[in-house]
Amino acid sequence: METPSPKHTCLKLQLKEAQQPIYVKGTWFESRFDLSITDGLNAWICHASEEQVRDRAAQWDQPVSEYVALAERYLGFQHPDSAYGFADAGDGHKRLSWTFEKEGTKLEWRWKCQPSPNSKQTTAAVLDFLMDANVGLSEEVVRKTQSFERLKVEAEKCLAQSEKLTNEKIEFESAIYAKFLGVLNSKKAKLRELRDKISKQDIAGKMPEEEEASSDQTEPFVSGDEKIEDESLKDLPVTSKDVPRTRSRGRGRKRAADN
């Protein structure tokens, strides 16, 4: 299993009691860390061994990995709610400290730093790291800017294509609607013609039937006088005189012929 590569940080630490900032470069391993500190003229170093880190972590009831991660967090970036210090510890040594809160309690961690055996070399190493980091950041900014420009061009193309498709869709829908409206109006006109034709045929077929029905139901007209006469005749008694004379005459002729 390969050992993970160490991480590097560099903090520009502005102290309240100092006019000039100090630079704290950290190299972070899994169970230990190294610090290189410079103010531009002098330099200090701190090598926190695995044994020292393990003892400090045990004092604070923390796992070693958590202790290293918390130290990296506060020495990688300056926290405004933390009180940082870089005080003299005698014999040219310095004591680097910072505070943090845990479960409502304010705690302070301190590490003693010894003077660097070669301040120029330590300072140069810090400056080289800053320059490399600056170059890397500049390249990253360029890459991000180029990527952004490409995305912007692609976005503009997509927007133009979307607008084109939208316009084509509107034109297509308008053309289809116009054609559909023409077909619909034509169908309506044909339906109206068929309806009028059927209505005329129904009217023409009903007229002869109505005439026939009216002729069947017609009765002969009888005037009021004739009705009275007929009723009066019905009431009179029938006599021999009322028998038609033509009958008697016919009989007389027959007898005469026989004689």
Side-chain angles (χ1 to χ4, degrees):
M1 184 176 179
E2 295 182 359
T3 303
S5 301
K7 294 186 290 184
H8 300 279
T9 61
C10 191
L11 168 64
K12 181 182 179 181
L13 184 59
Q14 186 67 50
L15 301 172
K16 293 182 180 180
E17 66 274 7
Q19 294 182 352
Q20 296 296 327
I22 62 173
Y23 293 87
V24 181
K25 177 181 175 295
T27 303
W28 308 96
F29 300 89
E30 287 186 342
S31 56
R32 64 182 183 88
F33 59 89
D34 295 332
L35 300 177
S36 299
I37 305 169
T38 181
D39 59 3
L41 294 175
N42 302 305
W44 297 265
I45 58 174
C46 175
H47 297 291
S49 64
E50 292 185 0
E51 184 179 356
Q52 290 174 325
V53 172
R54 187 166 54 252
D55 292 341
R56 295 288 185 94
Q59 291 176 8
W60 296 99
D61 295 330
Q62 287 181 318
V64 172
S65 58
E66 184 178 336
Y67 184 92
V68 173
L70 191 58
E72 179 187 350
R73 177 184 172 188
Y74 279 86
L75 296 181
F77 301 94
Q78 185 168 359
H79 291 253
D81 57 344
S82 178
Y84 290 86
F86 194 60
D88 290 331
D91 296 332
H93 291 69
K94 292 282 188 177
R95 182 174 287 107
L96 179 65
S97 62
W98 64 94
T99 62
F100 63 95
E101 287 190 5
K102 183 178 181 181
E103 298 178 357
T105 304
K106 193 169 186 178
L107 306 176
E108 183 182 35
W109 283 0
R110 294 177 296 180
W111 280 89
K112 191 174 182 179
C113 304
Q114 62 185 11
S116 173
N118 191 338
S119 295
K120 290 183 179 180
Q121 184 178 357
T122 302
T123 302
V126 174
L127 292 176
D128 288 343
F129 175 80
L130 290 175
M131 290 296 295
D132 292 341
N134 184 57
V135 171
L137 289 175
S138 299
E139 292 176 352
E140 184 69 19
V141 169
V142 171
R143 287 195 299 269
K144 294 293 184 183
T145 303
Q146 292 175 349
S147 178
F148 173 76
E149 291 297 330
R150 287 194 298 269
L151 290 175
K152 184 179 178 181
V153 172
E154 292 295 329
E156 290 175 353
K157 288 182 181 179
C158 291
L159 181 60
Q161 187 175 6
S162 176
E163 291 178 354
K164 182 181 177 181
L165 292 174
T166 301
N167 294 332
E168 290 179 354
K169 180 175 177 289
I170 293 173
E171 292 176 0
F172 175 75
E173 290 178 350
S174 300
I176 291 295
Y177 179 75
K179 291 181 180 179
F180 173 75
L181 192 60
V183 173
L184 182 63
N185 290 333
S186 174
K187 294 295 183 181
K188 286 183 177 179
K190 289 183 180 180
L191 288 174
R192 282 195 294 269
E193 291 177 3
L194 290 173
R195 183 188 61 191
D196 295 342
K197 186 176 180 181
I198 292 172
S199 299
K200 290 178 181 179
Q201 289 178 355
D202 291 343
I203 292 172
K206 286 180 180 179
M207 288 179 64
E209 293 178 1
E210 289 178 355
E211 290 178 358
E212 242 179 76
S214 62
S215 62
D216 292 341
Q217 294 175 1
T218 304
E219 294 181 356
F221 176 75
V222 180
S223 63
D225 296 337
E226 290 178 354
K227 284 183 179 181
I228 294 171
E229 229 175 274
D230 290 341
E231 290 176 358
S232 62
L233 288 174
K234 287 177 183 179
D235 295 336
L236 291 177
V238 180
T239 61
S240 60
K241 294 181 180 181
D242 297 325
V243 176
R245 294 181 180 180
T246 54
R247 186 180 298 177
S248 60
R249 288 180 183 177
R251 287 178 181 175
R253 287 179 184 176
K254 188 176 180 183
R255 288 176 182 176
D258 293 337
N259 293 328

